[in-house]
C-alpha cells in the first residue's frame, strides 16, 4: 500500500520505522539537490542530507501536517545548512563554491568565453546577499518553488519572501550588468 | 496597460505568460529592455551542475540514517506483544480486581416467599493478595512499558511499586530496564534517584547497571558518580563490555579518565585491555597503558601496542612504561625492530636511562 507523505509521517511519528524509510527514500534526491546548492560540495551535501533526516525523525511529533512534508524537510535542511555555514565561519572563512559550476546548461561559445567573467562577478554578488535573500533565490530559481512555499520554508510572510527574491535578483542584475550590456551591443 | 514593476516582471519570468504583459513589451522599448536585462541576469545565473545520484540513492541514505536512529524504535515489536499481554491480563481479571473490591456485587437472597427480597450487599470477603508469578509480572511490565510511553504520570507509580514491592530480583531488574528504556524525564529522574539511594544497595546496584546500558550524557554522569563508591565500582566492572566500554564511548576525556581510574582501582586489567583495543581517543589509550603498567601488565601486550598503534603519544607512553618497569628486554627488542632512525634513537635513549645488564658491548 502506498501511503501519502502525511500518512507516512503520522505512522513514523508513532514509531514505525518502515514509514520513515519510505519518506527518506522518497525525498532523498530533492534534499540532496537543495543541500548541494546550499553547501556547494558533495561531501557537505551528504552530511546535510543525513542530518536533515535525523533531525526530522526527532521532530516528527512536531510535524502537524499543515504544510507539505517536503516543505517541512526543506526548512529543516535550510536550518542544517545555516548551522553548517555558521560553524564554518567560526573556524575559517569559506566561500561557497557552488558557483563554480555556473552556468551549467548548454552555453554558447561566446557564453563559454564569458563564463569566467560571469562567475567572477556572480560570486561576490551572491556573497553580498543576505541569508534570506540567498535562500529565497535558491528556492525560487533552482528549486522552482512557489512564493507561498518559500514563505513556509523561510518562516516569513509571502510578501517578504517575494521581496527577498526580488532584492536578490536586483543585486545580481546590478553585478552582472557589465556582462549583459556587452552582450546586447 | 501601465508599465509593469520589476517585481511583476520577475513574476512573469517565473510564473508564466500574461497576454497583457507581452503586448506591452511589444510596444514599450523601455520595459522591453528592463525585462530583457532581468532575463539575461537569470539565465547567466543558470543552473548549478548537480552531481548524479542513482535510483537507489534513497536506500543508501536510509542505510546511513537508520544506523543512527534512536534506540526507542527498536521496541516496536512490543506493541503486538503488549496487546496480547493486556488481553491475557484482562481475561485473568488482574486489573479489574480493585474495581470489584470497591463495588461489591449486589447480593440477592431468595427466601421462601412469593417475591424475592433484596437485602443489603454483603461486605466483600477479604481476599489474600495473590502474588504474581514472574511470567505475570513480565506481562504487567510490558503493559506498563507502553503506558509509560503514553502517560508517564500514570505508569510511573505502578512501575515504582513493582521496583519497591515484594517482587523477585529478576522482576525488579526488568522493571528498572523498563524505566531505563523510557524517554520520559520523570522515568529518568526516578532511575537516577534509585541509583543514588544508598539505603537500598541492591536496587542501587541494579539501577547503576541500567544507567550503564543507557550510555548517554546523564547516564555517564551517574556512572562517574557511582565510580566514587567502591561497592558500585565493582558493579560497573562486572559487565565491562556492556557498561564500561559503552560508557566510555563519546564521553568527554575527563570522564573517560575518571571511569578508567575506577577500573584501575578495581584492578581489572581485562577491562583495561579491552579499552585499549577499542578506544579511539589516543589520550585515553595512553592513560590506559600507564594504568596497565602500574598494575604490572607485562611486555607482550605493550609491545604489541607499540607495533600496531600509529599515534606517537601512545607509543611514547609504552616506552615510558617499559622504562618504569625496567624492562630492557622489551625496549631492546623494539629498538631492533624499529626501522625509523628517529624512533630507534628515542628508544635507545630510554634504554640508556635504565641499568640494562644485558647490553653487550660490541667486540673490539
Amino acid at each position: 500500500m502506498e501511503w501519502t507523505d502525511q500518512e507516512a509521517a503520522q505512522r513514523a511519528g508513532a514509531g514505525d520505522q518502515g514509514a520513515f524509510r519510505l519518506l527518506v527514500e522518497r525525498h532523498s534526491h530533492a534534499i540532496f539537490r537543495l543541500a548541494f546548492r546550499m553547501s556547494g560540495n558533495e561531501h557537505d551535501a551528504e552530511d546535510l542530507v543525513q542530518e536533515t533526516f535525523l533531525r526530522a525523525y526527532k521532530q516528527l511529533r512536531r510535524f502537524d501536517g499543515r504544510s507539505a512534508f517536503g516543505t517541512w524537510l526543506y526548512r529543516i535542511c535550510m536550518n542544517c545548512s545555516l548551522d553548517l555555514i555558521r560553524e564554518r565561519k567560526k573556524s575559517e572563512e569559506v566561500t561557497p563554491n557552488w558557483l563554480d559550476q555556473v552556468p551549467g546548461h548548454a552555453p554558447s561559445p561566446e557564453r563559454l568565453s564569458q563564463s569566467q567573467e560571469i562567475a567572477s562577478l556572480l560570486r561576490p554578488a551572491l556573497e553580498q546577499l543576505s541569508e534570506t535573500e540567498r535562500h529565497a533565490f535558491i528556492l525560487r530559481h533552482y528549486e522552482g518553488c512557489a512564493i507561498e512555499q518559500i514563505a513556509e520554508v523561510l518562516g516569513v510572510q509571502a510578501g517578504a519572501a517575494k521581496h527577498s527574491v526580488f532584492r536578490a535578483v536586483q543585486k545580481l542584475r546590478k553585478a552582472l550588468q557589465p556582462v549583459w550590456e556587452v552582450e546586447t551591443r | 496597460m501601465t508599465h509593469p514593476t520589476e517585481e511583476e516582471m520577475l513574476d512573469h519570468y517565473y510564473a508564466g505568460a500574461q497576454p497583457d504583459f507581452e503586448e506591452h513589451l511589444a510596444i514599450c522599448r523601455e520595459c522591453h529592455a528592463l525585462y530583457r536585462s532581468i532575463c539575461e541576469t537569470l539565465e547567466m545565473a543558470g543552473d548549478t551542475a548537480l552531481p548524479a545520484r542513482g535510483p537507489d540513492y534513497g536506500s543508501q541514505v536510509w542505510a546511513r540514517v537508520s544506523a543512527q536512529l534512536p534506540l526507542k524504535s527498536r521496541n516496536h515489536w512490543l506493541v503486538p506483544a503488549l496487546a496480547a499481554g493486556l488481553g491475557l491480563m484482562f481475561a485473568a481479571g488482574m486489573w479489574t480486581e480493585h474495581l470489584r473490591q470497591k463495588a461489591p456485587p449486589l447480593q440477592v437472597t431468595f427466601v421462601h416467599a412469593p417475591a424475592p427480597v433484596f437485602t443489603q450487599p454483603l461486605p466483600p470477603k477479604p481476599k489474600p493478595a495473590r502474588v504474581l508469578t514472574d511470567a505475570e509480572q513480565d506481562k504487567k511490565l510490558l503493559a506498563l512499558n507502553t503506558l509509560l510511553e503514553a502517560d508517564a504520570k500514570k505508569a510511573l507509580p505502578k512501575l515504582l511499586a513493582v521496583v519497591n514491592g515484594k517482587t523477585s530480583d529478576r522482576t525488579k531488574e526488568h522493571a528498572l530496564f523498563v524505566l531505563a528504556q523510557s524517554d520520559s524525564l520523570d522515568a529518568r529522574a526516578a532511575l537516577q534517584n534509585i541509583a543514588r539511594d544508598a539505603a537500598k544497595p541492591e536496587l542501587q546496584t541494579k539501577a547503576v547497571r541500567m544507567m550503564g546500558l543507557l550510555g548517554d550524557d546523564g547516564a555517564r554522569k551517574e556512572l562517574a558518580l557511582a565510580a566514587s563508591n567502591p561497592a558500585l565500582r565493582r558493579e560497573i566492572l562486572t559487565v565491562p563490555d556492556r557498561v564500561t566500554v559503552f560508557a566510555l564511548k563519546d564521553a568527554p576525556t575527563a570522564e573517560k579518565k575518571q571511569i578508567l581510574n575506577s577500573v584501575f582501582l578495581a584492578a581489572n586489567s581485562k577491562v583495561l585491555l579491552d579499552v585499549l583495543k577499542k578506544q579511539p581517543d589516543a589520550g585515553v589509550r595512553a592513560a590506559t597503558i600507564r594504568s596497565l603498567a602500574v598494575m604490572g601488565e607485562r611486555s607482550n601486550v605493550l609491545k604489541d601496542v607499540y607495533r600496531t598503534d600509529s599515534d606517537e603519544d601512545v607509543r611514547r607512553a609504552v616506552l615510558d612504561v617499559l622504562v618504569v618497569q625496567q624492562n630492557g628486554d622489551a625496549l631492546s627488542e623494539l629498538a631492533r625492530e624499529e626501522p625509523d632512525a628517529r624512533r630507534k634513537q628515542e628508544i635507545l635513549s630510554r634504554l640508556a636511562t635504565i641499568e640494562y645488564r644485558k647490553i653487550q658491548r660490541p667486540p673490539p
Side-chain angles (χ1 to χ4, degrees):
Chain A
M1 182 184 156
E2 191 74 356
W3 290 321
T4 63
D5 279 357
Q6 305 282 350
E7 287 166 343
Q10 206 172 6
R11 283 173 168 270
D16 183 347
Q17 285 202 355
F20 189 63
R21 178 182 187 155
L22 181 78
L23 291 169
V24 170
E25 291 182 345
R26 200 176 274 174
H27 292 276
S28 285
H29 280 91
I31 294 301
F32 173 76
R33 217 169 46 224
L34 181 63
F36 181 76
R37 280 169 180 147
M38 294 297 297
S39 65
N41 68 75
E42 284 188 69
H43 181 76
D44 284 344
E46 290 291 0
D47 285 350
L48 284 174
V49 170
Q50 193 168 322
E51 181 61 22
T52 299
F53 284 113
L54 284 172
R55 278 197 203 179
Y57 186 78
K58 286 177 190 162
Q59 297 173 10
L60 267 173
R61 285 180 186 172
R62 291 191 211 162
F63 176 64
D64 53 12
R66 276 185 294 184
S67 60
F69 186 76
T71 305
W72 187 67
L73 275 182
Y74 268 22
R75 185 169 189 164
I76 293 174
C77 183
M78 283 281 182
N79 288 333
C80 290
S81 69
L82 280 179
D83 290 347
L84 179 76
I85 290 165
R86 282 172 198 146
E87 208 172 283
R88 290 279 166 81
K89 276 184 182 171
K90 274 185 196 168
S91 55
E92 55 177 331
E93 281 297 319
V94 173
T95 306
N97 58 359
W98 59 281
L99 286 173
D100 288 349
Q101 295 94 5
V102 172
H105 57 74
S108 63
E110 293 80 14
R111 182 64 57 80
L112 268 177
S113 68
Q114 290 173 333
S115 62
Q116 278 194 321
E117 188 184 356
I118 292 169
S120 69
L121 293 169
L122 200 52
R123 182 190 296 274
L126 274 150
E127 282 171 13
Q128 280 174 10
L129 301 183
S130 69
E131 277 175 0
T132 311
E133 288 166 356
R134 195 158 65 87
H135 293 170
F137 180 70
I138 288 173
L139 289 170
R140 185 67 162 149
H141 188 68
Y142 297 118
E143 292 299 309
C145 293
I147 291 294
E148 292 73 21
Q149 202 181 355
I150 298 171
E152 272 187 48
V153 173
L154 299 180
V156 297
Q157 297 289 319
K162 187 173 179 180
H163 198 61
S164 293
V165 178
F166 170 66
R167 278 200 310 272
V169 174
Q170 236 183 358
K171 286 180 185 175
L172 294 181
R173 196 160 66 87
K174 200 173 171 185
L176 293 174
Q177 193 170 12
V179 184
W180 58 256
E181 270 184 347
V182 169
E183 276 202 333
T184 50
R185 274 176 206 159
Chain B
M1 184 183 180
T2 54
H3 295 290
T5 63
E6 283 184 45
E7 272 188 298
E8 285 169 338
M9 288 183 182
L10 204 54
D11 277 348
H12 181 75
Y13 178 86
Y14 285 121
Q18 300 160 19
D20 286 358
F21 183 86
E22 296 288 346
E23 283 170 18
H24 180 80
L25 286 190
I27 57 171
C28 180
R29 289 183 63 186
E30 203 179 321
C31 288
H32 186 269
L34 181 59
Y35 183 65
R36 190 170 173 189
S37 76
I38 290 173
C39 294
E40 287 284 342
T41 302
L42 294 172
E43 279 165 25
M44 281 178 195
D47 195 359
T48 49
L50 284 166
R53 287 293 178 272
D56 60 343
Y57 178 62
S59 304
Q60 291 166 15
V61 173
W62 169 249
R64 293 202 310 265
V65 170
S66 61
Q68 295 189 45
L69 292 182
L71 291 173
K72 187 185 141 199
S73 45
R74 287 193 318 196
N75 291 341
H76 207 69
W77 60 272
L78 283 175
V79 175
L82 284 169
L86 279 170
L88 280 170
M89 278 184 284
F90 188 78
M94 287 173 350
W95 283 41
T96 55
E97 195 169 342
H98 68 288
L99 293 176
R100 278 184 278 144
Q101 286 176 353
K102 279 181 187 170
L106 197 64
Q107 182 81 18
V108 181
T109 307
F110 291 95
V111 296
H112 298 289
V117 175
F118 293 96
T119 62
Q120 288 294 318
L122 294 173
K125 285 182 185 173
K127 273 189 173 182
R130 189 166 72 86
V131 178
L132 298 181
T133 63
D134 277 355
E136 287 169 334
Q137 287 283 15
D138 282 352
K139 284 172 193 164
K140 185 173 176 179
L141 287 169
L142 283 171
L144 285 173
N145 186 54
T146 301
L147 191 59
L148 199 60
E149 291 299 316
D151 190 346
K153 281 185 182 166
K154 274 188 186 172
L156 206 50
K158 292 178 192 293
L159 204 51
L160 290 176
V162 175
V163 172
N164 295 311
K166 288 180 181 174
T167 50
S168 68
D169 281 358
R170 178 180 167 281
T171 301
K172 283 184 201 296
E173 195 153 346
H174 193 168
L176 289 170
F177 180 74
V178 171
L179 269 182
Q181 286 284 300
S182 172
D183 282 344
S184 155
L185 292 177
D186 290 340
R188 184 61 61 90
L191 187 63
Q192 282 180 356
N193 286 339
I194 298 167
R196 289 175 186 176
D197 187 1
K200 295 176 182 170
E202 285 186 8
L203 271 184
Q204 188 185 20
T205 304
K206 288 185 173 66
V208 165
R209 193 183 303 154
M210 290 308 155
M211 300 295 291
L213 287 173
L214 289 172
D216 62 11
D217 285 347
R220 276 202 297 271
K221 282 177 188 157
E222 288 303 316
L223 280 179
L225 273 177
S228 62
N229 178 337
L232 293 176
R233 193 183 301 136
R234 197 160 295 116
E235 179 56 35
I236 294 174
L237 302 175
T238 55
V239 273
D241 284 330
R242 298 178 72 190
V243 178
T244 313
V245 178
F246 194 28
L248 284 170
K249 191 185 171 195
D250 302 329
T253 301
E255 279 182 30
K256 280 176 185 167
K257 287 181 179 169
Q258 196 173 354
I259 296 169
L260 281 174
N261 191 39
S262 72
V263 176
F264 162 61
L265 290 174
N268 194 334
S269 64
K270 183 179 174 296
V271 179
L272 286 177
L273 290 171
D274 203 29
V275 169
L276 199 57
K277 283 178 199 160
K278 295 177 182 171
Q279 182 51 243
D281 186 328
V284 175
R285 288 205 305 280
T288 311
I289 288 165
R290 284 189 281 272
S291 297
L292 276 169
V294 178
M295 287 160 61
E297 185 64 38
R298 293 306 289 176
S299 58
N300 283 346
V301 174
L302 299 172
K303 280 189 290 186
D304 283 348
V305 172
Y306 182 90
R307 288 172 187 131
T308 53
D309 204 312
S310 59
D311 188 86
E312 288 296 326
D313 287 339
V314 174
R315 287 180 159 186
R316 274 191 210 105
V318 171
L319 297 180
D320 291 342
V321 159
L322 291 174
V323 170
V324 170
Q325 291 181 341
Q326 299 277 303
N327 194 338
D329 286 335
L331 280 171
S332 62
E333 189 182 335
L334 290 177
R336 276 197 299 275
E337 290 174 358
E338 181 58 67
D340 184 86
R342 187 184 55 77
R343 287 202 199 110
K344 191 188 279 280
Q345 180 64 39
E346 201 170 343
I347 301 171
L348 289 173
S349 68
R350 279 174 169 76
L351 196 56
T353 62
I354 61 174
E355 289 182 5
Y356 184 40
R357 287 171 299 174
K358 290 185 185 173
I359 293 179
Q360 299 289 322
R361 288 181 182 280

